Amino acid sequence: AAGHRKQRKKHQHKANCRRHALYVDFSDVGWNEWIVAPPGYHAFYCHGECPFPLADHLNSTNHAIVQTLVNSVNSNIPRACCVPTELSPISLLYLDEYEKVILKNYQDMVVEGCGCR
Amino acid sequence: GAAGLIPEVGRRKYSESGKQSPEQSENFLNEFELRLLNMFGLKRRPNPSRQAVVPQYMVDLYRMHSLNGDHSTKRPRSMGRHAERAASKANTIRSFHHEESMEALASLKGRTTQQFFFNLTSIPGEELITSAELRVYRDQVLGATAAPTSNTSQNSSNSSRTSSGGFHRINVYEVFGAPASPSGEPLTRLLDTRLVQDSLSRWESFDVSPAVSQWTSGGRHNHGFLVEMLHPDTLEGEEGQRQRRHVRVSRSLHGDQDSWPQARPLLVTYGHDRQGNAVLHRDKRQ
């Protein structure tokens, strides 16, 4: 029984909203021809369920808690969504369309945290 | 599609998904591509040629930023405190090489002047230029004899004295008007000046912020810069020629053509497009 409980818990945790690894390789989309550095970056993504009742670690808002509660009694109302709650910038060194070299800071490129919103 | 930011494979996959008509798919993809271009501040997909040169200084700035959180990482040797301060307020750093077809080099006894024009039209109107530096590479004058001084160890190891006392003066002017007569000199205003030791090989950085911010904000017309090298008591003949050629302001004054792309003058602008943090913003998480 303990084993089953552990397995169920593990399965549940896996399905819950959390941050997942996602490395964006610029060469995959042919952008390495004009982006000098970095060659790619860890962007991450958010995925998973926002189940009732929402646990503290799911970083939810009051609205998400209420929406999840309503969903538990009326399935026409969707569950809260698993989305990025904190993002950070990255800098890119690249050549623009005039072959000028630019170092620019781009906002909200890396997912730092996920939550149910 | 091939000229856009969305790769052909992605375009095909989306079009073949059958969710929308081919025309709708194309419109949707074009709209999405516009958003991508807008995000990067581009008008079309960059397609740099093989001759495109990435200045080492820009790579150093990038490295300095990407290693920002690592306190064991030192500032690159080529970077001055001025640049570090400027970068801390900017979120966009651009580099420009001058238009060689528009350069005007003049050399009279004891004085070399070079007029530069940098095309800054690629800077978007919404970008506020907070600072700009003109970087000029200076080669050690060969044959300069070393003479230890009581300064820091770095200075003492590189010190020298030539017939001119081992120093040259570099003045950087903003050109703001054509000469009054065809043989006359352009109207200029001094922006920065420095007395440099000719026994050291290094980049010299000059603050040209007032001129560049005026040019990019539309306050004044961009007529370029004039860089003046004064060589006090310059020797005649071959030795004199060598002394005059040590500041790399023109291809014709640069002996090694292969190294010219990395030694030519560089204008670096520090700006902010009013979106997001500075390039060298110190993030605790990083």
PDB file of all heavy atoms in Angstrom, chain B residues 219-252:
ATOM      1  N   GLY B 219      18.817  66.647 -33.243  1.00  0.00           N
ATOM      2  CA  GLY B 219      19.190  68.001 -32.833  1.00  0.00           C
ATOM      3  C   GLY B 219      20.214  68.647 -33.766  1.00  0.00           C
ATOM      4  O   GLY B 219      20.209  69.863 -33.950  1.00  0.00           O
ATOM      5  N   ARG B 220      21.108  67.816 -34.307  1.00  0.00           N
ATOM      6  CA  ARG B 220      22.133  68.339 -35.218  1.00  0.00           C
ATOM      7  C   ARG B 220      22.377  67.334 -36.330  1.00  0.00           C
ATOM      8  O   ARG B 220      22.148  66.144 -36.160  1.00  0.00           O
ATOM      9  CB  ARG B 220      23.448  68.568 -34.452  1.00  0.00           C
ATOM     10  CG  ARG B 220      23.583  69.970 -33.898  1.00  0.00           C
ATOM     11  CD  ARG B 220      25.040  70.330 -33.617  1.00  0.00           C
ATOM     12  NE  ARG B 220      25.746  69.431 -32.747  1.00  0.00           N
ATOM     13  CZ  ARG B 220      25.751  69.534 -31.421  1.00  0.00           C
ATOM     14  NH1 ARG B 220      25.046  70.470 -30.830  1.00  0.00           N
ATOM     15  NH2 ARG B 220      26.446  68.692 -30.679  1.00  0.00           N
ATOM     16  N   HIS B 221      22.888  67.844 -37.450  1.00  0.00           N
ATOM     17  CA  HIS B 221      23.183  66.974 -38.586  1.00  0.00           C
ATOM     18  C   HIS B 221      24.521  66.263 -38.351  1.00  0.00           C
ATOM     19  O   HIS B 221      25.450  66.853 -37.820  1.00  0.00           O
ATOM     20  CB  HIS B 221      23.226  67.818 -39.870  1.00  0.00           C
ATOM     21  CG  HIS B 221      23.388  66.984 -41.096  1.00  0.00           C
ATOM     22  ND1 HIS B 221      22.365  66.186 -41.577  1.00  0.00           N
ATOM     23  CD2 HIS B 221      24.450  66.806 -41.915  1.00  0.00           C
ATOM     24  CE1 HIS B 221      22.809  65.563 -42.657  1.00  0.00           C
ATOM     25  NE2 HIS B 221      24.060  65.923 -42.879  1.00  0.00           N
ATOM     26  N   ASN B 222      24.580  65.005 -38.757  1.00  0.00           N
ATOM     27  CA  ASN B 222      25.797  64.220 -38.576  1.00  0.00           C
ATOM     28  C   ASN B 222      26.798  64.521 -39.696  1.00  0.00           C
ATOM     29  O   ASN B 222      26.623  64.088 -40.828  1.00  0.00           O
ATOM     30  CB  ASN B 222      25.411  62.722 -38.561  1.00  0.00           C
ATOM     31  CG  ASN B 222      26.598  61.786 -38.503  1.00  0.00           C
ATOM     32  OD1 ASN B 222      27.741  62.220 -38.385  1.00  0.00           O
ATOM     33  ND2 ASN B 222      26.317  60.491 -38.566  1.00  0.00           N
ATOM     34  N   HIS B 223      27.856  65.282 -39.357  1.00  0.00           N
ATOM     35  CA  HIS B 223      28.934  65.564 -40.315  1.00  0.00           C
ATOM     36  C   HIS B 223      30.167  64.734 -40.007  1.00  0.00           C
ATOM     37  O   HIS B 223      31.188  64.888 -40.662  1.00  0.00           O
ATOM     38  CB  HIS B 223      29.318  67.050 -40.264  1.00  0.00           C
ATOM     39  CG  HIS B 223      28.266  67.972 -40.819  1.00  0.00           C
ATOM     40  ND1 HIS B 223      28.036  68.117 -42.157  1.00  0.00           N
ATOM     41  CD2 HIS B 223      27.375  68.776 -40.191  1.00  0.00           C
ATOM     42  CE1 HIS B 223      27.054  68.994 -42.348  1.00  0.00           C
ATOM     43  NE2 HIS B 223      26.636  69.399 -41.161  1.00  0.00           N
ATOM     44  N   GLY B 224      30.092  63.923 -38.960  1.00  0.00           N
ATOM     45  CA  GLY B 224      31.210  63.046 -38.622  1.00  0.00           C
ATOM     46  C   GLY B 224      32.171  63.638 -37.604  1.00  0.00           C
ATOM     47  O   GLY B 224      31.914  64.688 -37.002  1.00  0.00           O
ATOM     48  N   PHE B 225      33.276  62.920 -37.426  1.00  0.00           N
ATOM     49  CA  PHE B 225      34.310  63.328 -36.467  1.00  0.00           C
ATOM     50  C   PHE B 225      35.599  63.679 -37.193  1.00  0.00           C
ATOM     51  O   PHE B 225      35.828  63.239 -38.317  1.00  0.00           O
ATOM     52  CB  PHE B 225      34.649  62.176 -35.507  1.00  0.00           C
ATOM     53  CG  PHE B 225      33.517  61.690 -34.684  1.00  0.00           C
ATOM     54  CD1 PHE B 225      32.974  60.428 -34.893  1.00  0.00           C
ATOM     55  CD2 PHE B 225      32.989  62.474 -33.669  1.00  0.00           C
ATOM     56  CE1 PHE B 225      31.932  59.963 -34.124  1.00  0.00           C
ATOM     57  CE2 PHE B 225      31.937  62.017 -32.894  1.00  0.00           C
ATOM     58  CZ  PHE B 225      31.417  60.765 -33.128  1.00  0.00           C
ATOM     59  N   LEU B 226      36.410  64.424 -36.514  1.00  0.00           N
ATOM     60  CA  LEU B 226      37.766  64.668 -36.992  1.00  0.00           C
ATOM     61  C   LEU B 226      38.709  64.264 -35.861  1.00  0.00           C
ATOM     62  O   LEU B 226      38.560  64.738 -34.727  1.00  0.00           O
ATOM     63  CB  LEU B 226      37.951  66.139 -37.363  1.00  0.00           C
ATOM     64  CG  LEU B 226      39.293  66.465 -38.021  1.00  0.00           C
ATOM     65  CD1 LEU B 226      39.061  67.368 -39.236  1.00  0.00           C
ATOM     66  CD2 LEU B 226      40.250  67.141 -37.078  1.00  0.00           C
ATOM     67  N   VAL B 227      39.597  63.346 -36.177  1.00  0.00           N
ATOM     68  CA  VAL B 227      40.574  62.910 -35.170  1.00  0.00           C
ATOM     69  C   VAL B 227      41.922  63.509 -35.556  1.00  0.00           C
ATOM     70  O   VAL B 227      42.359  63.384 -36.704  1.00  0.00           O
ATOM     71  CB  VAL B 227      40.660  61.370 -35.094  1.00  0.00           C
ATOM     72  CG1 VAL B 227      41.734  60.932 -34.111  1.00  0.00           C
ATOM     73  CG2 VAL B 227      39.314  60.784 -34.679  1.00  0.00           C
ATOM     74  N   GLU B 228      42.533  64.172 -34.611  1.00  0.00           N
ATOM     75  CA  GLU B 228      43.807  64.849 -34.861  1.00  0.00           C
ATOM     76  C   GLU B 228      44.886  64.207 -33.985  1.00  0.00           C
ATOM     77  O   GLU B 228      44.681  64.039 -32.780  1.00  0.00           O
ATOM     78  CB  GLU B 228      43.652  66.322 -34.503  1.00  0.00           C
ATOM     79  CG  GLU B 228      44.902  67.139 -34.676  1.00  0.00           C
ATOM     80  CD  GLU B 228      44.701  68.580 -34.200  1.00  0.00           C
ATOM     81  OE1 GLU B 228      44.157  68.761 -33.093  1.00  0.00           O
ATOM     82  OE2 GLU B 228      45.069  69.490 -34.933  1.00  0.00           O
ATOM     83  N   MET B 229      45.986  63.819 -34.610  1.00  0.00           N
ATOM     84  CA  MET B 229      47.112  63.275 -33.869  1.00  0.00           C
ATOM     85  C   MET B 229      48.254  64.283 -33.945  1.00  0.00           C
ATOM     86  O   MET B 229      48.693  64.623 -35.047  1.00  0.00           O
ATOM     87  CB  MET B 229      47.590  61.948 -34.476  1.00  0.00           C
ATOM     88  CG  MET B 229      46.733  60.749 -34.119  1.00  0.00           C
ATOM     89  SD  MET B 229      45.179  60.660 -35.013  1.00  0.00           S
ATOM     90  CE  MET B 229      45.735  60.360 -36.666  1.00  0.00           C
ATOM     91  N   LEU B 230      48.680  64.735 -32.805  1.00  0.00           N
ATOM     92  CA  LEU B 230      49.797  65.681 -32.763  1.00  0.00           C
ATOM     93  C   LEU B 230      51.033  64.942 -32.296  1.00  0.00           C
ATOM     94  O   LEU B 230      51.010  64.258 -31.262  1.00  0.00           O
ATOM     95  CB  LEU B 230      49.486  66.830 -31.796  1.00  0.00           C
ATOM     96  CG  LEU B 230      48.300  67.714 -32.184  1.00  0.00           C
ATOM     97  CD1 LEU B 230      47.988  68.687 -31.069  1.00  0.00           C
ATOM     98  CD2 LEU B 230      48.584  68.476 -33.470  1.00  0.00           C
ATOM     99  N   HIS B 231      52.080  65.048 -33.107  1.00  0.00           N
ATOM    100  CA  HIS B 231      53.318  64.342 -32.775  1.00  0.00           C
ATOM    101  C   HIS B 231      54.376  65.405 -32.493  1.00  0.00           C
ATOM    102  O   HIS B 231      55.007  65.896 -33.427  1.00  0.00           O
ATOM    103  CB  HIS B 231      53.782  63.462 -33.941  1.00  0.00           C
ATOM    104  CG  HIS B 231      52.650  62.822 -34.681  1.00  0.00           C
ATOM    105  ND1 HIS B 231      51.955  61.754 -34.194  1.00  0.00           N
ATOM    106  CD2 HIS B 231      52.082  63.114 -35.883  1.00  0.00           C
ATOM    107  CE1 HIS B 231      51.024  61.412 -35.058  1.00  0.00           C
ATOM    108  NE2 HIS B 231      51.076  62.227 -36.089  1.00  0.00           N
ATOM    109  N   PRO B 232      54.540  65.794 -31.267  1.00  0.00           N
ATOM    110  CA  PRO B 232      55.495  66.854 -30.969  1.00  0.00           C
ATOM    111  C   PRO B 232      56.913  66.450 -31.354  1.00  0.00           C
ATOM    112  O   PRO B 232      57.320  65.309 -31.114  1.00  0.00           O
ATOM    113  CB  PRO B 232      55.375  67.058 -29.458  1.00  0.00           C
ATOM    114  CG  PRO B 232      54.428  66.046 -28.973  1.00  0.00           C
ATOM    115  CD  PRO B 232      53.936  65.228 -30.078  1.00  0.00           C
ATOM    116  N   ASP B 233      57.633  67.371 -31.938  1.00  0.00           N
ATOM    117  CA  ASP B 233      59.028  67.152 -32.338  1.00  0.00           C
ATOM    118  C   ASP B 233      59.208  65.866 -33.139  1.00  0.00           C
ATOM    119  O   ASP B 233      60.121  65.081 -32.885  1.00  0.00           O
ATOM    120  CB  ASP B 233      59.957  67.082 -31.107  1.00  0.00           C
ATOM    121  CG  ASP B 233      59.762  68.287 -30.215  1.00  0.00           C
ATOM    122  OD1 ASP B 233      59.519  69.381 -30.752  1.00  0.00           O
ATOM    123  OD2 ASP B 233      59.821  68.114 -28.982  1.00  0.00           O
ATOM    124  N   THR B 234      58.299  65.635 -34.091  1.00  0.00           N
ATOM    125  CA  THR B 234      58.382  64.406 -34.881  1.00  0.00           C
ATOM    126  C   THR B 234      59.670  64.371 -35.695  1.00  0.00           C
ATOM    127  O   THR B 234      60.082  65.370 -36.254  1.00  0.00           O
ATOM    128  CB  THR B 234      57.172  64.322 -35.830  1.00  0.00           C
ATOM    129  OG1 THR B 234      56.008  64.451 -35.050  1.00  0.00           O
ATOM    130  CG2 THR B 234      57.151  63.011 -36.582  1.00  0.00           C
ATOM    131  N   LEU B 235      60.226  63.185 -35.737  1.00  0.00           N
ATOM    132  CA  LEU B 235      61.468  63.014 -36.507  1.00  0.00           C
ATOM    133  C   LEU B 235      61.148  63.020 -37.995  1.00  0.00           C
ATOM    134  O   LEU B 235      60.048  62.698 -38.412  1.00  0.00           O
ATOM    135  CB  LEU B 235      62.114  61.672 -36.139  1.00  0.00           C
ATOM    136  CG  LEU B 235      62.571  61.509 -34.691  1.00  0.00           C
ATOM    137  CD1 LEU B 235      62.949  60.062 -34.461  1.00  0.00           C
ATOM    138  CD2 LEU B 235      63.749  62.425 -34.409  1.00  0.00           C
ATOM    139  N   GLU B 236      62.110  63.353 -38.779  1.00  0.00           N
ATOM    140  CA  GLU B 236      61.948  63.315 -40.227  1.00  0.00           C
ATOM    141  C   GLU B 236      62.278  61.906 -40.725  1.00  0.00           C
ATOM    142  O   GLU B 236      62.792  61.076 -39.995  1.00  0.00           O
ATOM    143  CB  GLU B 236      62.894  64.339 -40.880  1.00  0.00           C
ATOM    144  CG  GLU B 236      62.434  65.781 -40.690  1.00  0.00           C
ATOM    145  CD  GLU B 236      61.012  66.039 -41.174  1.00  0.00           C
ATOM    146  OE1 GLU B 236      60.683  65.589 -42.281  1.00  0.00           O
ATOM    147  OE2 GLU B 236      60.232  66.659 -40.442  1.00  0.00           O
ATOM    148  N   GLY B 237      61.971  61.665 -41.977  1.00  0.00           N
ATOM    149  CA  GLY B 237      62.348  60.419 -42.641  1.00  0.00           C
ATOM    150  C   GLY B 237      61.551  59.223 -42.156  1.00  0.00           C
ATOM    151  O   GLY B 237      60.405  59.355 -41.729  1.00  0.00           O
ATOM    152  N   GLU B 238      62.194  58.038 -42.236  1.00  0.00           N
ATOM    153  CA  GLU B 238      61.501  56.787 -41.949  1.00  0.00           C
ATOM    154  C   GLU B 238      61.000  56.725 -40.510  1.00  0.00           C
ATOM    155  O   GLU B 238      59.889  56.273 -40.247  1.00  0.00           O
ATOM    156  CB  GLU B 238      62.473  55.632 -42.197  1.00  0.00           C
ATOM    157  CG  GLU B 238      61.779  54.356 -42.603  1.00  0.00           C
ATOM    158  CD  GLU B 238      62.785  53.280 -42.964  1.00  0.00           C
ATOM    159  OE1 GLU B 238      63.446  53.395 -44.006  1.00  0.00           O
ATOM    160  OE2 GLU B 238      62.908  52.358 -42.167  1.00  0.00           O
ATOM    161  N   GLU B 239      61.802  57.174 -39.576  1.00  0.00           N
ATOM    162  CA  GLU B 239      61.420  57.150 -38.156  1.00  0.00           C
ATOM    163  C   GLU B 239      60.172  57.998 -37.921  1.00  0.00           C
ATOM    164  O   GLU B 239      59.247  57.606 -37.203  1.00  0.00           O
ATOM    165  CB  GLU B 239      62.603  57.650 -37.304  1.00  0.00           C
ATOM    166  CG  GLU B 239      62.319  57.722 -35.806  1.00  0.00           C
ATOM    167  CD  GLU B 239      62.021  56.370 -35.172  1.00  0.00           C
ATOM    168  OE1 GLU B 239      62.368  55.326 -35.755  1.00  0.00           O
ATOM    169  OE2 GLU B 239      61.415  56.380 -34.089  1.00  0.00           O
ATOM    170  N   GLY B 240      60.142  59.149 -38.579  1.00  0.00           N
ATOM    171  CA  GLY B 240      58.989  60.039 -38.455  1.00  0.00           C
ATOM    172  C   GLY B 240      57.734  59.414 -39.030  1.00  0.00           C
ATOM    173  O   GLY B 240      56.658  59.481 -38.437  1.00  0.00           O
ATOM    174  N   GLN B 241      57.877  58.753 -40.177  1.00  0.00           N
ATOM    175  CA  GLN B 241      56.754  58.064 -40.824  1.00  0.00           C
ATOM    176  C   GLN B 241      56.167  57.020 -39.880  1.00  0.00           C
ATOM    177  O   GLN B 241      54.964  56.907 -39.713  1.00  0.00           O
ATOM    178  CB  GLN B 241      57.237  57.352 -42.102  1.00  0.00           C
ATOM    179  CG  GLN B 241      57.376  58.276 -43.290  1.00  0.00           C
ATOM    180  CD  GLN B 241      56.027  58.758 -43.780  1.00  0.00           C
ATOM    181  OE1 GLN B 241      55.072  58.012 -43.771  1.00  0.00           O
ATOM    182  NE2 GLN B 241      55.939  60.021 -44.150  1.00  0.00           N
ATOM    183  N   ARG B 242      57.076  56.259 -39.232  1.00  0.00           N
ATOM    184  CA  ARG B 242      56.650  55.184 -38.348  1.00  0.00           C
ATOM    185  C   ARG B 242      55.860  55.749 -37.166  1.00  0.00           C
ATOM    186  O   ARG B 242      54.854  55.212 -36.745  1.00  0.00           O
ATOM    187  CB  ARG B 242      57.883  54.429 -37.856  1.00  0.00           C
ATOM    188  CG  ARG B 242      57.583  52.996 -37.476  1.00  0.00           C
ATOM    189  CD  ARG B 242      58.811  52.161 -37.402  1.00  0.00           C
ATOM    190  NE  ARG B 242      59.817  52.721 -36.525  1.00  0.00           N
ATOM    191  CZ  ARG B 242      61.117  52.492 -36.678  1.00  0.00           C
ATOM    192  NH1 ARG B 242      61.548  51.772 -37.676  1.00  0.00           N
ATOM    193  NH2 ARG B 242      61.982  53.010 -35.833  1.00  0.00           N
ATOM    194  N   GLN B 243      56.332  56.872 -36.645  1.00  0.00           N
ATOM    195  CA  GLN B 243      55.643  57.486 -35.502  1.00  0.00           C
ATOM    196  C   GLN B 243      54.251  57.965 -35.891  1.00  0.00           C
ATOM    197  O   GLN B 243      53.316  57.876 -35.119  1.00  0.00           O
ATOM    198  CB  GLN B 243      56.464  58.656 -34.967  1.00  0.00           C
ATOM    199  CG  GLN B 243      57.648  58.192 -34.130  1.00  0.00           C
ATOM    200  CD  GLN B 243      58.236  59.317 -33.318  1.00  0.00           C
ATOM    201  OE1 GLN B 243      57.622  60.358 -33.157  1.00  0.00           O
ATOM    202  NE2 GLN B 243      59.428  59.114 -32.806  1.00  0.00           N
ATOM    203  N   ARG B 244      54.125  58.484 -37.134  1.00  0.00           N
ATOM    204  CA  ARG B 244      52.828  59.023 -37.562  1.00  0.00           C
ATOM    205  C   ARG B 244      51.827  57.910 -37.850  1.00  0.00           C
ATOM    206  O   ARG B 244      50.642  58.119 -37.810  1.00  0.00           O
ATOM    207  CB  ARG B 244      53.016  59.898 -38.801  1.00  0.00           C
ATOM    208  CG  ARG B 244      53.519  61.301 -38.470  1.00  0.00           C
ATOM    209  CD  ARG B 244      53.373  62.207 -39.658  1.00  0.00           C
ATOM    210  NE  ARG B 244      54.386  61.963 -40.666  1.00  0.00           N
ATOM    211  CZ  ARG B 244      55.585  62.531 -40.675  1.00  0.00           C
ATOM    212  NH1 ARG B 244      55.921  63.371 -39.726  1.00  0.00           N
ATOM    213  NH2 ARG B 244      56.446  62.263 -41.626  1.00  0.00           N
ATOM    214  N   ARG B 245      52.346  56.707 -38.163  1.00  0.00           N
ATOM    215  CA  ARG B 245      51.464  55.616 -38.576  1.00  0.00           C
ATOM    216  C   ARG B 245      50.974  54.767 -37.415  1.00  0.00           C
ATOM    217  O   ARG B 245      50.223  53.828 -37.622  1.00  0.00           O
ATOM    218  CB  ARG B 245      52.200  54.715 -39.567  1.00  0.00           C
ATOM    219  CG  ARG B 245      52.452  55.357 -40.909  1.00  0.00           C
ATOM    220  CD  ARG B 245      53.467  54.551 -41.688  1.00  0.00           C
ATOM    221  NE  ARG B 245      52.914  53.291 -42.151  1.00  0.00           N
ATOM    222  CZ  ARG B 245      52.458  53.105 -43.378  1.00  0.00           C
ATOM    223  NH1 ARG B 245      52.474  54.078 -44.251  1.00  0.00           N
ATOM    224  NH2 ARG B 245      51.984  51.946 -43.743  1.00  0.00           N
ATOM    225  N   HIS B 246      51.370  55.080 -36.206  1.00  0.00           N
ATOM    226  CA  HIS B 246      51.074  54.136 -35.115  1.00  0.00           C
ATOM    227  C   HIS B 246      49.637  54.217 -34.613  1.00  0.00           C
ATOM    228  O   HIS B 246      49.161  53.308 -33.950  1.00  0.00           O
ATOM    229  CB  HIS B 246      52.080  54.289 -33.962  1.00  0.00           C
ATOM    230  CG  HIS B 246      51.766  55.408 -33.026  1.00  0.00           C
ATOM    231  ND1 HIS B 246      51.525  55.197 -31.702  1.00  0.00           N
ATOM    232  CD2 HIS B 246      51.631  56.715 -33.254  1.00  0.00           C
ATOM    233  CE1 HIS B 246      51.265  56.363 -31.131  1.00  0.00           C
ATOM    234  NE2 HIS B 246      51.339  57.284 -32.054  1.00  0.00           N
ATOM    235  N   VAL B 247      48.896  55.268 -34.950  1.00  0.00           N
ATOM    236  CA  VAL B 247      47.479  55.326 -34.579  1.00  0.00           C
ATOM    237  C   VAL B 247      46.675  54.835 -35.771  1.00  0.00           C
ATOM    238  O   VAL B 247      46.745  55.401 -36.856  1.00  0.00           O
ATOM    239  CB  VAL B 247      47.056  56.756 -34.180  1.00  0.00           C
ATOM    240  CG1 VAL B 247      45.605  56.775 -33.728  1.00  0.00           C
ATOM    241  CG2 VAL B 247      47.938  57.278 -33.067  1.00  0.00           C
ATOM    242  N   ARG B 248      45.919  53.740 -35.555  1.00  0.00           N
ATOM    243  CA  ARG B 248      45.268  53.043 -36.669  1.00  0.00           C
ATOM    244  C   ARG B 248      43.941  53.696 -37.037  1.00  0.00           C
ATOM    245  O   ARG B 248      42.881  53.191 -36.711  1.00  0.00           O
ATOM    246  CB  ARG B 248      45.048  51.570 -36.322  1.00  0.00           C
ATOM    247  CG  ARG B 248      46.315  50.822 -35.941  1.00  0.00           C
ATOM    248  CD  ARG B 248      47.348  50.926 -37.028  1.00  0.00           C
ATOM    249  NE  ARG B 248      48.512  50.105 -36.728  1.00  0.00           N
ATOM    250  CZ  ARG B 248      49.723  50.364 -37.170  1.00  0.00           C
ATOM    251  NH1 ARG B 248      49.949  51.427 -37.915  1.00  0.00           N
ATOM    252  NH2 ARG B 248      50.718  49.568 -36.868  1.00  0.00           N
ATOM    253  N   VAL B 249      44.026  54.824 -37.707  1.00  0.00           N
ATOM    254  CA  VAL B 249      42.798  55.531 -38.066  1.00  0.00           C
ATOM    255  C   VAL B 249      42.429  55.338 -39.531  1.00  0.00           C
ATOM    256  O   VAL B 249      41.334  55.688 -39.951  1.00  0.00           O
ATOM    257  CB  VAL B 249      42.890  57.048 -37.759  1.00  0.00           C
ATOM    258  CG1 VAL B 249      42.847  57.295 -36.269  1.00  0.00           C
ATOM    259  CG2 VAL B 249      44.121  57.666 -38.393  1.00  0.00           C
ATOM    260  N   SER B 250      43.337  54.784 -40.317  1.00  0.00           N
ATOM    261  CA  SER B 250      43.047  54.610 -41.735  1.00  0.00           C
ATOM    262  C   SER B 250      43.722  53.353 -42.254  1.00  0.00           C
ATOM    263  O   SER B 250      44.809  52.980 -41.792  1.00  0.00           O
ATOM    264  CB  SER B 250      43.555  55.827 -42.511  1.00  0.00           C
ATOM    265  OG  SER B 250      43.435  55.595 -43.887  1.00  0.00           O
ATOM    266  N   ARG B 251      43.058  52.702 -43.221  1.00  0.00           N
ATOM    267  CA  ARG B 251      43.615  51.496 -43.829  1.00  0.00           C
ATOM    268  C   ARG B 251      44.998  51.793 -44.421  1.00  0.00           C
ATOM    269  O   ARG B 251      45.906  50.980 -44.348  1.00  0.00           O
ATOM    270  CB  ARG B 251      42.666  51.006 -44.924  1.00  0.00           C
ATOM    271  CG  ARG B 251      42.965  49.626 -45.442  1.00  0.00           C
ATOM    272  CD  ARG B 251      42.045  49.297 -46.585  1.00  0.00           C
ATOM    273  NE  ARG B 251      40.696  49.051 -46.144  1.00  0.00           N
ATOM    274  CZ  ARG B 251      40.237  47.839 -45.815  1.00  0.00           C
ATOM    275  NH1 ARG B 251      41.015  46.804 -45.883  1.00  0.00           N
ATOM    276  NH2 ARG B 251      38.990  47.682 -45.417  1.00  0.00           N
ATOM    277  N   SER B 252      45.128  53.003 -44.990  1.00  0.00           N
ATOM    278  CA  SER B 252      46.394  53.356 -45.628  1.00  0.00           C
ATOM    279  C   SER B 252      47.526  53.544 -44.610  1.00  0.00           C
ATOM    280  O   SER B 252      48.690  53.504 -44.969  1.00  0.00           O
ATOM    281  CB  SER B 252      46.230  54.630 -46.453  1.00  0.00           C
ATOM    282  OG  SER B 252      45.843  55.689 -45.617  1.00  0.00           O
TER     283      SER B 252
END
